Amino acid sequence: MGSVGAKDVPVLLSPEGLRIDGRRLDELRPIRIEAGPLHQADGSAYVEWGANKVMAAVYGPREVHPRHLQQNNKAVIQCKYNMAAFSVDERKRPGLDRRSQEISKVIAEAFESVVFAEEFPRTSIDVYIEVLQANAGTRCAGLVAASVALADAGIPMVDLVPAVAVGKISGQIALDLKKEEDNFGEADLPMALVPQSGRLVLLQMEGHMTPDELSKALDLGVEGCKAIYAKMKQALRDRYTVDPLPAEAA
Amino acid sequence: MSQGQRTDHRRRGRGDSSPHPSRDRVLVLPGEELPSQGLKPGTGTYRVGGKVYSSILGLLSPQPPFVQVIPLSGRYIPKPNDVVIGTVTDCQGTFWLLDIGAPRWAPLHMTGTPWDVEIGETEKFLHVRDSVVVRVENLDPTGRIGVTMLGDGLGKLEGGTIVTVSPARIPRVVGRGGSMVETITRLTGAQVAVGQNGRVWINGSPDAILRASEALRLIEEQGQRRGLTERVESYLVSTSTSTDRGPEAAARESAHRDAPVTRVPPVGPADERPDPEALGPGPDEY
């Protein structure tokens, strides 16, 4: 976040309580989830979330590469989050950077706490997340896509993992920040929930919130996650439900 | 989470009369609570606080005393006595490593082959990228998979091509009592060997291979619908005219097959060259 003159800061919240894209504080951006778009991978998913476009592919359980990462009692979960060079308007320098390494790590750790990795000792479950277009909240979109892809790959796990970011704009707690809100807002709090147990498996924060704001933000985020959870399940149902086509129709 | 592994699509595929899953089973997703009155958690489930949840995406299938979920996707999970098609990924002194589409590579020891292999001479018999038909012999809790090439219908595959379908679709590829495989071989004249790991070996004229793979694609895409055998049959009949290949042509061609092929893969030095007469004007790339 570079330094910006005060007059450059857009009005993030109108007097009527509407945000720059017309949403209310507790509204999500529109989400579309597709399960199984890639045939090569064992499981895959594509997510469009506001202006974010994210593809996830899951391979495995399979042989571990590099070998020394192999664990004798469980599968290792390796995650690679990557932003395409064209995913943002100023070209993103391709390849690993500290940010994508961190996101890969926190997403892999989120999945480690839900996947039944002990069922596949000495193997690797590889999760690839490619951000094709970014507009804030890509780690959440990537996690949602990867979670649907894991289910599509038939990997046993406690539950799907919905994720969403909550933030603070113009002094108010708001659900699912978009780019301008993320850049000019006061705080950003991405989180990922396991609905079955109610546990959070990812929680990060940038900026400042009071304890009261934090607890309000967590409540709002959990509600958001539940809405996203429903969409994730629907995407998987759509992919695997048989359409009741009679035998005669070809 | 490994009890109750007895009931599965593999047995259904071998021609018993269980109804097709999609008609009477419910799709469940990871994290969904399952109705489990008095039932124990079986495969594809877990239990927390007295409640049973699904751990995978699949079809709910109560098998008292277990409640279990049959997977609809995912990698091939080996079971003893499965006949599978593997590809050599590495040659070691006394064994080869095979990729059978399972979570781990499966070692094929030189003593598990019909050949007289000297230590260090494994490469004289199988090279990396060669394909073989083997049987899963034993599994251990750490996930190691032992396979053997000793047995009927096992051996090295020569020629042909391998098409991969989802392992969950194999029962439909085989068909009830092998009817689907029989339909494909009869109407294309191709040799077909089906591995339980989702790999299907096809050999024959380029045209036969092309049409048989297309039939497999059809099964993969529409495997959950009824009347699949009829649909595959009508597809194969409708494409047979262009290259003068009706049931009669198929019968003529079957003369150059070693044996009638059913579920059990044909092995050994199968006729590698497509019958020159059978070569239609079709494209070379297939």
Side-chain angles (χ1 to χ4, degrees), chain A residues 39-234:
Chain A
H39 292 169
Q40 184 68 52
D42 292 313
S44 59
Y46 175 63
V47 169
E48 286 183 3
W49 183 343
N52 289 315
K53 297 188 179 188
V54 182
M55 184 74 89
V58 168
Y59 284 85
R62 65 177 179 184
E63 290 282 330
V64 189
H65 284 291
R67 262 272 157 78
H68 69 269
L69 295 175
Q70 178 173 297
Q71 303 229 336
N72 291 336
N73 56 345
K74 61 175 186 181
V76 291
I77 297 172
Q78 303 188 79
C79 178
K80 191 181 170 206
Y81 164 102
N82 185 48
M83 279 173 85
F86 52 81
S87 62
V88 283
D89 45 20
E90 197 144 335
R91 176 176 182 275
K92 193 247 169 209
R93 194 162 175 269
L96 271 186
D97 52 24
R98 295 181 69 127
R99 178 177 170 277
S100 63
Q101 273 185 62
E102 174 198 305
I103 294 176
S104 303
K105 179 175 178 290
V106 295
I107 291 178
E109 285 171 359
F111 286 131
E112 272 169 19
S113 54
V114 291
V115 170
F116 290 110
E118 328 77 55
E119 285 190 35
F120 306 105
R122 297 166 191 259
T123 64
S124 169
I125 296 168
D126 299 335
V127 178
Y128 299 95
I129 297 167
E130 291 290 327
V131 178
L132 306 178
Q133 185 168 283
N135 192 281
T138 56
R139 80 189 62 196
C140 295
L143 204 140
V144 165
S147 179
V148 173
L150 279 167
D152 184 42
I155 309 268
M157 51 193 177
V158 174
D159 205 344
L160 300 171
V161 188
V164 74
V166 186
K168 186 174 161 192
I169 52 169
S170 307
Q172 300 284 321
I173 299 301
L175 185 63
D176 188 19
L177 302 188
K178 77 191 297 273
K179 187 165 179 257
E180 292 78 1
E181 296 170 331
D182 188 24
N183 290 165
F184 300 106
E186 294 103 81
D188 182 26
L189 181 84
M191 65 176 83
L193 178 76
V194 182
Q196 188 272 333
S197 59
R199 286 167 57 221
L200 290 176
V201 289
L202 182 149
L203 187 65
Q204 299 183 290
M205 186 162 88
E206 190 188 341
H208 302 281
M209 279 185 190
T210 66
D212 281 350
E213 284 169 341
L214 179 63
S215 88
K216 192 180 167 196
L218 287 170
D219 290 345
L220 191 58
V222 167
E223 287 312 307
C225 283
K226 286 179 180 164
I228 291 153
Y229 184 51
K231 301 239 177 190
M232 295 164 77
K233 288 176 119 174
Q234 193 53 50

Side-chain angles (χ1 to χ4, degrees), chain B residues 124-192:
Chain B
K124 285 190 177 169
F125 296 85
L126 289 173
H127 295 281
V128 170
R129 301 190 66 187
D130 280 348
S131 288
V132 291
V133 183
V134 292
R135 188 168 51 79
V136 177
E137 204 169 27
N138 51 61
L139 301 165
D140 78 9
T142 65
R144 231 191 311 258
I145 307 159
V147 295
T148 177
M149 205 195 266
L150 294 170
D152 269 359
L154 309 179
K156 184 182 174 189
L157 290 170
E158 305 274 3
T161 188
I162 290 176
V163 173
T164 305
V165 300
S166 162
R169 284 278 183 274
I170 285 300
R172 303 244 65 193
V173 172
V174 173
R176 195 156 292 174
S179 59
M180 185 69 87
V181 170
E182 195 274 329
T183 303
I184 296 174
T185 51
R186 178 166 47 85
L187 292 177
T188 61
Q191 271 183 301
V192 177

Side-chain angles (χ1 to χ4, degrees), chain A residues 42 60-63 65 67 116 119-123 151-160 196 229 233 236-237 240-243 245-247 249-250, chain B residues 1 22 27-32 45-46 48 53-57 72-75 77 97 102-106 141-144 222 224-227 231:
Chain A
D42 292 313
R62 65 177 179 184
E63 290 282 330
H65 284 291
R67 262 272 157 78
F116 290 110
E119 285 190 35
F120 306 105
R122 297 166 191 259
T123 64
D152 184 42
I155 309 268
M157 51 193 177
V158 174
D159 205 344
L160 300 171
Q196 188 272 333
Y229 184 51
K233 288 176 119 174
L236 287 163
R237 288 235 146 77
Y240 283 96
T241 304
V242 197
D243 53 325
L245 203 71
Chain B
M1 217 162 295
S22 62
L27 180 73
V28 292
L29 302 175
E32 283 186 359
T45 69
Y46 66 96
V48 177
Y53 300 87
S54 177
S55 67
I56 54 168
L57 182 154
L72 277 178
S73 60
R75 295 214 137 206
I77 304 300
L97 281 176
R104 308 267 311 269
W105 288 344
T142 65
R144 231 191 311 258
Q222 311 190 0
Q224 290 167 317
R225 294 186 187 164
R226 301 180 199 192
R231 201 159 320 128

